[in-house]
Amino acid sequence: MTTIPSNSMPVKRDKNRIKVRNTVLTVITYLIAIAFLFPLVWMFLAAFKTEAEAFASPPVFAFTPILENFKAALPSYFPALKNSLIAAIGSTLLAFVLGLPAAFALAVYPTTRAQGTLTWMLSTKMMPAVGVIVPLFLLFRNLHLLDTLPGLILMYTTMNLPLVVWMMHSYMTEIPFAIYEAAKVDGASVAQEFFGIALPLSTPGMAATALLAVIFAWNEVFFAVNLTSSDAAPLSVFISSFKTSMGLFWAQMSAAAALTVLPVLIFGWVAQRQLVRGLSFGAVK
Amino acid sequence: MTTAVRPTTTTASPPAPKRGFKLTPAALIWPAMLYLILTTQVPFFMTIYYSFFNYNLVIPDNRPFIGFGNYATLLTNPQNLQVVLNTVILAGGTLILTLFIGGAMAMLLNRNFPGRGLLRTLMISSFLVMPIVTAVVWKNMLLNPVFGFFSWVVASLGGQPVDWLAQFPMASVIAMITWEWTPFAMLILLTGLQSLPDDQLEAARLDGASPLQEFQHIVMPHWTQAIQVVVLMETIALLQVYGEIYGSTSGGPGLATTNLPYFIYQKAFAEYNIGLASAAGVITVILTNILAVYLLRMINRTNQTNKGG
């Protein structure tokens, strides 16, 4: 085994063995991936079955797809979709308005405290939501923010703001410093540097960050369940209604769930590479 | 003291007086800082404050100060120890499983084979699925004792039907959350593997290193940072698992799958016991922060040794 490779017979046999091993490993990879995807595929299939087929035991694999489940789910899906869209996009916009200037200042004018400030912002993500939910609930009740979209947007902004600052900070530090210096020589103000250089040059980063923030807000459950009930209930609350009585309608539940997860799946597949950066706060690139 | 730094040259003109509002870097940071202080730090101090009172929303006008009474109630009731234990088992068990399965999957995907890009993309799906969707789909369609897919698999293998969520509640919840979080581990670990330079591996192979030696001495040291990131991020997230439990077992049967976040939700929003829920919230925050600080230190230490060596 430890001999230096040469062009003799054992090498050829080795090559064959490597080929077989590689094929086996590839098959294993596919099997694991299929196992992981199965629950989702099963859900998507059930969305096109009749209730009887969805409930059938042994399970039905061949069936004529129907669209009735989607039609049945849509009336209660649309109001929740509207709330989810407003909450996700609204909170992302607010997090950008607050976070972009901070990311810019920390990246371009780093003081000795900049790293500390960044770490502190990250540390707010370590605050479990249960540590703040009680006073926030009471506060929201007194301010009449319970079950309202502005209330939900405020909480989702808290959740996404550290993410926006961290990700945009890492994108903005990648802009060559010489560009800022050239602008300064020309007498550009801080605002001109921000709007004229930092923002236009970090557009791809902004797109990736926005996508992640929207996904997180879309999928959030804790604040949604505890701070909304009907008027502002987003999709997560709508789907949770299937956990009890409506869980008897598998096909309809699957259709609603499919409509809920599909946009996020597509976004996530597209932004796959940026996902790593956002999820690890830039620690692994 | 200030005389020492007074400029000695007379050519420097004093800065022009500020006219109107001027955008300074500090002014750019403050809105974000203020927002986070107002929505995380201030409420947390209020949580601490509430935790010292016997405060129930059903009797809002009478809330006597009881000092550490709520903490004493929490820490002396053996049932609550069960809740803390559940939280640790759930987070720890899931973390270990996702690390091993995610790590294996990352190594399998870090090879060249047809369809690799597509598999990599599809594999992240379960991480993107809303936790509440995971819960209702698993609970109803996979784990249902009569009609569920897993029961059919067990039955067709000649076994007895299993009521997963009743007989193995914690294992079922861990399986569900492992399904969700394995893609996260895989994604970070795969990126970590891909940043390993090829020439190092080739040099080791030429030196006659066995695959095991190669893994132990070259892959592992390089992988450490990615593994630590997974451990840190998942620990923080898994200690806060809520939607999956809310959507599947509702903490039951009994207390079998009640973790700290779900416990606090029940105390605050089902029993309206604000004082007790607040004390439990404070304990959760302390627990999370001790773990996070410890893990962060570990990461920083390794980073420094990596840079030094």
Side-chain angles (χ1 to χ4, degrees):
Chain A
M1 292 300 275
T2 49
T3 49
I4 294 160
S6 61
N7 291 328
S8 54
M9 277 303 285
V11 173
K12 207 168 193 180
R13 219 184 304 142
D14 261 14
K15 265 188 183 158
N16 276 334
R17 216 165 47 197
I18 288 172
K19 216 174 180 181
V20 170
R21 206 189 65 179
N22 268 334
T23 315
V24 172
L25 287 178
T26 304
V27 171
I28 294 175
T29 316
Y30 269 91
L31 288 178
I32 297 179
I34 289 169
F36 261 88
L37 284 171
F38 178 77
L40 268 185
V41 173
W42 198 233
M43 181 192 93
F44 277 106
L45 284 179
F48 295 97
K49 292 176 180 175
T50 65
E51 289 295 346
E53 283 166 341
F55 254 113
S57 183
V60 179
F61 289 94
F63 57 93
T64 325
I66 55 161
L67 289 174
E68 269 71 12
N69 300 315
F70 291 97
K71 272 183 221 149
L74 283 181
S76 37
Y77 169 80
F78 276 129
L81 173 75
K82 190 197 82 192
N83 288 339
S84 268
L85 280 174
I86 295 174
I89 296 172
S91 65
T92 304
L93 286 178
L94 186 55
F96 265 61
V97 168
L98 293 166
L100 283 177
F104 165 77
L106 289 167
V108 184
Y109 294 94
T111 57
T112 43
R113 270 180 300 172
Q115 195 55 44
T117 309
L118 273 173
T119 311
W120 175 78
M121 286 194 178
L122 179 63
S123 78
T124 63
K125 287 227 77 140
M126 288 173 204
M127 169 78 71
V130 290
V132 294
I133 188 69
V134 170
L136 284 173
F137 176 81
L138 298 175
L139 208 68
F140 272 33
R141 200 184 53 171
N142 293 341
L143 296 173
H144 300 289
L145 281 171
L146 280 182
D147 204 14
T148 65
L149 283 171
L152 208 54
I153 290 173
L154 286 176
M155 288 334 294
Y156 288 176
T157 302
T158 303
M159 192 175 74
N160 278 329
L161 189 50
L163 176 91
V164 169
V165 174
W166 265 78
M167 270 187 89
M168 289 318 297
H169 173 262
S170 91
Y171 280 109
M172 283 173 177
T173 43
E174 277 167 22
I175 299 172
F177 218 75
I179 300 181
Y180 293 115
E181 269 159 13
K184 249 177 234 149
V185 170
D186 292 343
S189 68
V190 174
Q192 281 166 334
E193 281 178 341
F194 177 61
F195 288 109
I197 302 170
L199 285 193
L201 288 184
S202 54
T203 329
M206 279 159 70
T209 309
L211 217 52
L212 258 183
V214 167
I215 290 177
F216 284 142
W218 186 278
N219 282 350
E220 206 280 334
V221 182
F222 188 79
F223 289 123
V225 164
N226 292 320
L227 298 178
T228 72
S229 50
S230 54
D231 291 348
L235 284 166
S236 46
V237 174
F238 162 60
I239 293 292
S240 74
S241 67
F242 284 97
K243 83 183 180 125
T244 49
S245 56
M246 284 169 85
L248 298 173
F249 301 100
W250 285 10
Q252 219 189 97
M253 175 190 82
S254 300
L259 289 169
T260 301
V261 299
L262 203 60
V264 167
L265 279 182
I266 294 168
F267 281 168
W269 288 336
V270 171
Q272 206 208 122
R273 286 190 189 279
Q274 285 73 36
L275 224 56
V276 175
R277 193 168 177 159
L279 293 174
S280 66
F281 283 96
V284 179
K285 271 181 224 171
Chain B
M1 275 211 282
T2 47
T3 48
V5 286
R6 186 173 284 165
T8 44
T9 52
T10 46
T11 45
S13 53
K18 280 179 191 169
R19 276 208 195 121
F21 179 75
K22 194 164 174 284
L23 217 49
T24 62
L28 295 173
I29 301 175
W30 270 106
M33 289 267 278
L34 258 177
Y35 193 91
L36 285 174
I37 289 172
L38 278 176
T39 54
T40 63
Q41 320 287 298
V42 172
F44 179 59
F45 281 109
M46 285 168 77
T47 304
I48 298 178
Y49 174 78
Y50 288 146
S51 74
F52 294 122
F53 291 87
N54 187 2
Y55 180 15
N56 195 308
L57 278 188
V58 181
I59 11 173
D61 296 328
N62 181 24
R63 46 169 167 162
F65 177 83
I66 53 164
F68 286 93
N70 286 318
Y71 292 92
T73 312
L74 282 175
L75 297 173
T76 51
N77 188 341
Q79 279 199 328
N80 298 335
L81 194 69
Q82 178 69 41
V83 172
V84 175
L85 210 63
N86 283 343
T87 314
V88 175
I89 292 173
L90 180 65
T94 311
L95 178 64
I96 291 166
L97 281 172
T98 53
L99 267 181
F100 277 98
I101 306 173
M105 203 58 196
M107 284 195 270
L108 284 169
L109 280 171
N110 193 29
R111 304 170 313 121
N112 264 324
F113 62 88
R116 176 185 165 212
L118 182 71
L119 273 201
R120 184 196 147 117
T121 302
L122 289 178
M123 264 299 285
I124 63 169
S125 306
S126 56
F127 180 72
L128 299 166
V129 171
M130 188 183 284
I132 202 92
V133 168
T134 304
V136 293
V137 167
W138 275 67
K139 178 194 176 191
N140 290 311
M141 298 174 64
L142 299 175
L143 298 171
N144 183 299
V146 184
F147 305 104
F149 188 84
F150 290 165
S151 296
W152 172 74
V153 172
V154 170
S156 51
L157 292 173
Q160 285 292 312
V162 186
D163 190 354
W164 306 94
L165 287 172
Q167 284 171 267
F168 313 103
M170 185 51 99
S172 304
V173 171
I174 288 179
M176 202 161 78
I177 300 171
T178 301
W179 178 71
E180 274 197 319
W181 279 91
T182 299
F184 171 79
M186 184 216 72
L187 206 60
I188 306 286
L189 294 176
L190 181 58
T191 312
L193 276 185
Q194 283 173 340
S195 63
L196 179 69
D198 282 340
D199 51 340
Q200 275 189 27
L201 277 177
E202 258 162 48
R205 265 177 217 154
L206 279 180
D207 288 341
S210 72
L212 198 71
Q213 285 173 322
E214 191 184 296
F215 181 75
Q216 192 188 342
H217 296 293
I218 299 190
V219 178
M220 263 331 251
H222 181 83
W223 228 11
T224 316
Q225 201 203 350
I227 292 173
Q228 287 169 338
V229 167
V230 173
V231 172
L232 178 68
M233 295 297 184
E234 281 198 19
T235 305
I236 295 170
L238 293 174
L239 286 175
Q240 304 184 38
V241 161
Y242 172 81
E244 293 88 338
I245 292 173
Y246 173 80
S248 63
T249 63
S250 300
L255 277 178
T257 55
T258 304
N259 66 350
L260 276 166
Y262 197 78
F263 176 81
I264 293 164
Y265 157 77
Q266 280 182 322
K267 290 295 161 205
F269 296 102
E271 297 174 20
Y272 302 111
N273 195 337
I274 299 301
L276 205 64
S278 299
V282 173
I283 291 177
T284 311
V285 171
I286 292 172
L287 192 75
T288 311
N289 276 279
I290 290 175
L291 275 170
V293 166
Y294 174 76
L295 292 168
L296 267 178
R297 282 230 180 101
M298 202 175 75
I299 290 177
N300 285 335
R301 201 181 307 145
T302 331
N303 279 353
Q304 271 154 19
T305 38
N306 279 353
K307 270 171 208 156

